Amino acid sequence: MDEDLISKKELLALTGISYGALYRWKRKQLIPEDWFIKKSSFTGPETFFPRVRTLERIARIQDMKEDLSLDHLAQTFAGTPLDIRVRPQQLIEQGLLSETVSRMKLFSPDEILDFYGALYLYICDQLLTGGQITLAESDQILSHLLADFKSFGSAPLLTVYRKMGVTFSLLTSENASAAADPDAKLIVAVRTAELWETLKIRWRAEK
């Protein structure tokens, strides 16, 4: 997916952070190195960032840094799964999943999930409660996540399409171009890395 970019100068002006803070957060891996995109401009080489993701990440850092150390924040944003074992019903009781997800055919309330299993249900639940997919489609997407998610080096982009009443989903690397049928309608695109981070934050807040 093509992303709107923001220059470093505009980013610092919009967020009010300093140059030093930006690069300190880079060193701590709070902002991924591959978000620092070098491009040529009429004034010479300039650094740009994916606008939406970077602004959202900085807002999260600013909200959380008073309560958590930078090292703790780095663990939260890191692409490493939490070491958890949890039943889906516990996630509902903790408010991390809605009751809606319990109506999925593949939902098993007493199954022991690791972080990936919890994440897959969390993704489906977000799409269900947002009204983007049906229960039948959620089972289809869950099966796709179970089969292919871990084959990616980092959390992939999930896109859901419909064509002539048939729903299908694609998983692709963040910067890859999805080769979907041009006649298919895009229903939703989900950066699973963002839901990965959100689930980690919410899980830790519940502990």
Side-chain angles (χ1 to χ4, degrees), residues 6-19 22 49 51 55 58 62:
I6 183 172
S7 70
K8 180 168 62 181
K9 181 178 179 180
E10 185 183 359
L11 179 70
L12 297 179
L14 278 177
T15 59
I17 65 173
S18 67
Y19 178 94
L22 177 65
F49 302 82
R51 177 183 289 271
L55 290 173
I58 289 175
Q62 290 175 321

Side-chain angles (χ1 to χ4, degrees), residues 17-193:
I17 65 173
S18 67
Y19 178 94
L22 177 65
Y23 281 87
R24 182 164 60 252
W25 295 349
K26 178 187 178 184
R27 289 194 301 274
K28 288 287 188 179
Q29 299 182 341
L30 301 180
I31 300 177
E33 187 167 352
D34 60 5
W35 290 11
F36 289 69
I37 302 166
K38 302 289 187 182
K39 296 176 76 74
S40 296
S41 70
F42 67 92
T43 58
E46 193 169 349
T47 302
F48 292 83
F49 302 82
R51 177 183 289 271
V52 173
R53 283 189 285 167
T54 308
L55 290 173
E56 288 178 349
R57 174 62 61 86
I58 289 175
R60 279 187 172 181
I61 294 170
Q62 290 175 321
D63 286 343
M64 300 169 65
K65 66 185 179 67
E66 297 303 321
D67 300 317
L68 299 173
S69 69
L70 293 184
D71 288 336
H72 195 151
L73 284 174
Q75 292 173 14
T76 298
F77 295 134
T80 51
L82 294 175
D83 183 14
I84 62 173
R85 296 293 181 273
V86 63
R87 291 180 173 84
Q89 190 59 42
Q90 290 175 263
L91 295 173
I92 291 175
E93 292 168 359
Q94 292 174 350
L96 297 174
L97 295 178
S98 73
E99 289 285 350
T100 304
V101 79
S102 66
R103 301 203 297 273
M104 292 172 60
K105 287 183 179 179
L106 295 179
F107 180 86
S108 178
D110 294 321
E111 180 184 2
I112 303 298
L113 303 175
D114 62 7
F115 179 77
Y116 285 98
L119 175 66
Y120 303 157
L121 281 180
Y122 187 69
I123 291 169
C124 292
D125 191 47
Q126 292 295 301
L127 296 178
L128 280 168
T129 56
Q132 290 111 328
I133 62 172
T134 65
L135 278 169
E137 290 167 342
S138 69
D139 282 303
Q140 179 181 330
I141 291 168
L142 179 57
S143 295
H144 188 185
L145 293 170
L146 285 165
D148 295 334
F149 189 97
K150 287 185 180 179
S151 65
F152 291 84
S154 58
L157 179 74
L158 167 69
T159 47
V160 181
Y161 297 86
R162 289 196 190 104
K163 181 181 179 182
M164 299 178 65
V166 176
T167 300
F168 63 96
S169 56
L170 295 176
L171 288 170
T172 56
S173 298
E174 277 279 356
N175 298 321
S177 298
D181 186 326
D183 295 325
K185 180 182 178 182
L186 175 64
I187 303 305
V188 64
V190 181
R191 289 194 170 93
T192 62

